[in-house]
Amino acid sequence: MVRPSSAARLRRRARLREVWSEFASQRSGLVGLVLLLVIVVLALLAPLLVPIERLDVTRVTAPSNAAPSGGHWLGTDPQGRDVLAVLLWGSRASLLVGFAATAVSMVLGTVVGMAAGHFRGLWQGVILRFVDFFLVVPSLMLAIVLSSVLSRGLGTIILAIGVTSWAQTARIVRAQTLTIESRPYIERSIALGAGDVHVLGRHVLPSVMPLVLANTTLAVGSAIIAESTLSFLGLGDPTTFSWGSMLKSALDTGAATAGYWWYVLPPGLAIVVVVLCFTLVGRALESVLNPTLRSR
Amino acid sequence: MSVAPVDPAAVAAADELPRGPSLGRYLALRAGGSLISLVMVVVVGFFAFRILPGDPAITLTRGRQVSPEEVERLRQELGLDDALPVQFWHYLLDLLRGDLGTSYVYRRPVSELVLEHLGPTLLLTGTAALLSVVLGLWLGQKAAWRRGTWFDKIHTGLALTFWSVPTFWLGLLLLLVFGGGLGWFPTAGMETAGSDASGLAHVLDVAHHLVLPVVTMVAVVYAQYLMVMRASVLEEMHEDYLTTARAKGLREDLVRTRHAVPNALLPTTTLIFLTIGFLVAGAVTVEAVFSWPGLGYLAYQGLNAPDLPLLQGTFVVFSAAVIVMNLVADLVYRLIDPRLKAA
């Protein structure tokens, strides 16, 4: 006899295969996914490909702001470092902040959203006011305030982006929670004695997850743009390289007006490609999980 | 964060507005909600800069050369020896009088600086908002009507790409090509330094400086409007009233412009106001890139100095502006939707 849990597992596995084959049938999503994997692998391998010593300003021998050549494919930056090497190392901070900030924002958004949909009365009112505040307040300004009063570092940036970007998710999750909880099986479960934790954890969370996942992919792109914006404004960790901090030094040294395109183009293009990939994957995933969108 | 992607939920959000209560009650509810948000902004604005690990007097003077006597004087000026609730009360009273503190860099009242820099920001964001609304809505409804054609694919593709572009980088690119490279447009500021042109010459000079910052903002913002407008026209595409309009013998163009578009505009209008926060984010980065002397540039200077009173002031002003715009959005929606008027 098949135990119920393993039957559920089989069913889940079959569903997963189904989702994957539907996802794989969308070319743009697949292209995005493959490109992303390549970029993540490159970022992970950065220390092996380019030893960190080559980015030490005191040891570089190349002239500053040199145009691309055989020795430096993307030229050198104002400190004489190889732009390609800095770009590769920069991908680590940009991706790390993108993923970590999204994780913070998704967990916050899911928990608050579920609570706002589940509880009634005073608590619901308080939570909803809280969500409303984070929805309307300009998040870049709030992130700027947070990261300028806390000590500079990657952790601060992750926190600042995560804390200012969860409200949209909370709203979507709340709407979904309300829909789920109006269904009869929840009523049955409560009649059988299920508490808040059981209802939220065993019934609401699993049906909210697909929505959150599709949203997550889209949110990573936004978080990467947010990271680059904060670093560009000078709120980043001064000791690590990121695509945003490269662009900040491009602005500060007047690289754009001086025509040093090899220092202005690559970091921005890298951001655009990564964000576009996340958007493509996210949209493909969304249309698999939410078939009503497919006609668009 | 600032770059909230347009998702179906955002479109659905417009439908979430309560339709039951009467206009008066609705107004009171919305205004009350906005007031609470405003109070929360003030609370965050105050406590973020006070309840920090360490001495606020030290934090406030970080990066400057100060003697212990000066720090002591600052402590007294800020009333740091009072209890926190007392300090907050004083801060509130000052705020109600329009006093936002004194900037360290400029050594002048922050509220004076804010007023001075308000005009350029309104000019920049206003022009950019107007252009992106017109461009986004027009392209959006066209793309929806011709769904699946090359026009649709090219414009959705372009919009998605512009979406993924960080605003400030686009600014740098335009600087690189049209400012530094071709030299067609000035690279910084709002007017030519040292020129005493007046009248038309002055207007033209400002317009010349305005081109690159506005193009940067429009390119990033219009995409959002395009996608939303496209989605909401698509929602209307299969409605019965369009079949009726066609049955009456209306030309396809008239079916679109007289029937589909006005209905699709309803949810879009609210979303336009709701994206004002996005414009604020754009203002900060675009003004930083082009040294445009507006509020965003002021905030940028505030965070780089670091000039915390200036930063605190711009935060409160920006947030208050966005909250008020959101309230206006709700009211406008209520007023323009004939289905809600009867209620």
Side-chain angles (χ1 to χ4, degrees), chain B residues 193-275:
Chain B
S195 92
D196 50 358
S198 59
L200 188 64
H202 183 237
V203 171
L204 285 177
D205 187 38
V206 171
H208 195 205
H209 282 78
L210 192 62
V211 174
L212 290 186
V214 162
V215 169
T216 310
M217 276 182 102
V218 169
V220 180
V221 177
Y222 95 95
Q224 205 162 357
Y225 300 148
L226 187 153
M227 299 306 280
V228 173
M229 188 62 186
R230 182 173 174 275
S232 42
V233 171
L234 281 182
E235 296 253 306
E236 305 289 329
M237 285 292 270
H238 302 292
E239 295 291 331
D240 290 341
Y241 67 86
L242 292 185
T243 316
T244 312
R246 286 196 189 98
K248 281 195 306 190
L250 281 187
R251 273 183 290 119
E252 198 60 19
D253 273 354
L254 287 181
V255 174
R256 188 183 78 219
T257 54
R258 296 254 178 93
H259 293 270
V261 169
N263 277 304
L265 272 177
L266 286 174
T268 317
T269 312
T270 333
L271 279 160
I272 288 172
F273 279 93
L274 290 178
T275 48

Side-chain angles (χ1 to χ4, degrees), chain B residues 116-127:
Chain B
E116 246 169 52
H117 289 75
L118 195 61
T121 292
L122 285 180
L123 179 66
L124 174 62
T125 49
T127 317

Side-chain angles (χ1 to χ4, degrees), chain B:
Chain B
M1 121 141 232
S2 44
V3 270
V6 165
D7 49 8
V11 179
D15 298 328
E16 253 178 50
L17 290 174
R19 286 169 193 220
S22 70
L23 189 60
R25 199 176 130 68
Y26 176 77
L27 280 181
L29 260 173
R30 284 291 158 170
S34 300
L35 199 66
I36 297 178
S37 288
L38 271 180
V39 171
M40 284 172 85
V41 164
V42 172
V43 170
V44 169
F46 175 78
F47 286 98
F49 293 98
R50 301 296 151 110
I51 306 206
L52 296 172
D55 188 341
I58 305 282
T59 318
L60 287 171
T61 54
R62 189 166 63 188
R64 292 191 308 138
Q65 294 272 320
V66 279
S67 63
E69 293 79 44
E70 271 181 289
V71 172
E72 194 44 48
R73 201 177 329 127
L74 187 67
R75 288 186 66 85
Q76 279 179 358
E77 244 173 62
L78 293 170
L80 288 178
D81 301 320
D82 296 332
L84 259 182
V86 178
Q87 288 183 39
F88 184 56
W89 178 243
H90 286 305
Y91 174 74
L92 268 184
L93 288 183
D94 283 349
L95 205 61
L96 287 177
R97 282 203 309 265
D99 182 356
L100 289 166
T102 308
S103 153
Y104 288 131
V105 175
Y106 290 91
R107 299 199 174 278
R108 286 173 51 200
V110 172
S111 44
E112 238 179 78
L113 290 166
V114 165
L115 279 182
E116 246 169 52
H117 289 75
L118 195 61
T121 292
L122 285 180
L123 179 66
L124 174 62
T125 49
T127 317
L130 196 70
L131 285 176
S132 21
V133 166
V134 171
L135 193 69
L137 298 194
W138 190 72
L139 288 175
Q141 51 96 9
K142 265 214 133 117
W145 211 252
R146 304 183 188 175
R147 181 167 52 140
T149 61
W150 279 107
F151 182 89
D152 180 27
K153 278 183 190 152
I154 287 174
H155 281 285
T156 346
L158 262 181
L160 277 181
T161 312
F162 275 130
W163 197 299
S164 317
V165 172
T167 320
F168 59 89
W169 181 63
L170 194 65
L172 282 178
L173 277 190
L174 292 178
L175 264 186
L176 181 79
V177 177
F178 297 103
L182 297 169
W184 288 357
F185 295 101
T187 54
M190 193 169 85
E191 47 207 2
T192 311
S195 92
D196 50 358
S198 59
L200 188 64
H202 183 237
V203 171
L204 285 177
D205 187 38
V206 171
H208 195 205
H209 282 78
L210 192 62
V211 174
L212 290 186
V214 162
V215 169
T216 310
M217 276 182 102
V218 169
V220 180
V221 177
Y222 95 95
Q224 205 162 357
Y225 300 148
L226 187 153
M227 299 306 280
V228 173
M229 188 62 186
R230 182 173 174 275
S232 42
V233 171
L234 281 182
E235 296 253 306
E236 305 289 329
M237 285 292 270
H238 302 292
E239 295 291 331
D240 290 341
Y241 67 86
L242 292 185
T243 316
T244 312
R246 286 196 189 98
K248 281 195 306 190
L250 281 187
R251 273 183 290 119
E252 198 60 19
D253 273 354
L254 287 181
V255 174
R256 188 183 78 219
T257 54
R258 296 254 178 93
H259 293 270
V261 169
N263 277 304
L265 272 177
L266 286 174
T268 317
T269 312
T270 333
L271 279 160
I272 288 172
F273 279 93
L274 290 178
T275 48
I276 300 283
F278 198 78
L279 280 178
V280 167
V284 177
T285 49
V286 169
E287 288 179 7
V289 171
F290 293 98
S291 314
W292 185 264
L295 278 181
Y297 191 55
L298 206 59
Y300 178 61
Q301 285 176 314
L303 68 92
N304 270 324
D307 187 343
L308 293 185
L310 191 58
L311 195 53
Q312 192 178 16
T314 44
F315 168 71
V316 171
V317 170
F318 265 135
S319 308
V322 172
I323 290 172
V324 170
M325 288 314 275
N326 274 286
L327 182 63
V328 172
D330 280 350
L331 303 186
V332 167
Y333 186 80
R334 187 85 188 189
L335 288 177
I336 60 172
D337 191 339
R339 285 167 298 189
L340 294 178
K341 255 187 202 153

Side-chain angles (χ1 to χ4, degrees), chain A residues 3-24:
Chain A
R3 279 182 296 120
S5 66
S6 74
R9 201 173 303 151
L10 279 178
R11 199 176 59 225
R12 230 167 267 164
R13 204 171 295 161
R15 172 74 185 132
L16 214 63
R17 253 200 306 274
E18 210 175 289
V19 166
W20 167 250
S21 73
E22 272 175 44
F23 178 84

